[in-house]
Amino acid sequence: ALLKTCMSVVVDYLANTIDSRTWMRGLRDHTGVDHTFHVLAPPDEVCLARLRERNASGQHPFTVTEEQFHQISAFFSPPTPDEGFNLDVHDEV
């Protein structure tokens, strides 16, 4: 329903695997809406620096270790053009 209203939809962890993106593509195909799939892809070094800064600030209720970051990141499979999305990759974010 959100897609049919042309509302932007943000997905996070759900977009990390090919299987879940296949499900997302099915929704897009069903609605027939135009889309742009923005991919935030900073290098791990940037993510880790931001994670250290966030952890040090004490402002976030959950602290993530570098080990946990790597465990979670291991599940990420970057989208490729052959998955059928209009990709807009942002390396510098």
Side-chain angles (χ1 to χ4, degrees):
L2 292 174
L3 293 175
K4 287 182 179 180
T5 66
C6 297
M7 181 178 285
S8 293
V9 178
V10 177
V11 293
D12 187 3
Y13 202 73
L14 181 64
N16 282 355
T17 67
I18 294 170
D19 287 343
S20 59
R21 289 190 301 267
T22 298
W23 171 79
M24 289 172 35
R25 189 178 60 244
L27 291 176
R28 185 223 45 217
D29 292 347
H30 178 72
T31 60
V33 299
D34 192 22
H35 74 285
T36 300
F37 189 147
H38 292 272
V39 180
L40 305 181
D44 281 357
E45 303 81 43
V46 170
C47 293
L48 286 167
R50 290 176 181 170
L51 179 63
R52 286 184 209 105
E53 184 178 321
R54 186 188 86 171
N55 286 345
S57 77
Q59 298 296 311
H60 197 276
F62 184 68
T63 300
V64 178
T65 67
E66 289 188 26
E67 179 183 350
Q68 290 169 323
F69 169 83
H70 290 296
Q71 289 173 340
I72 294 167
S73 297
F75 291 98
F76 179 66
S77 175
T80 60
D82 62 319
E83 291 182 56
F85 293 103
N86 298 326
L87 299 176
D88 188 359
V89 179
H90 305 271
D91 295 324
E92 301 292 327
V93 291

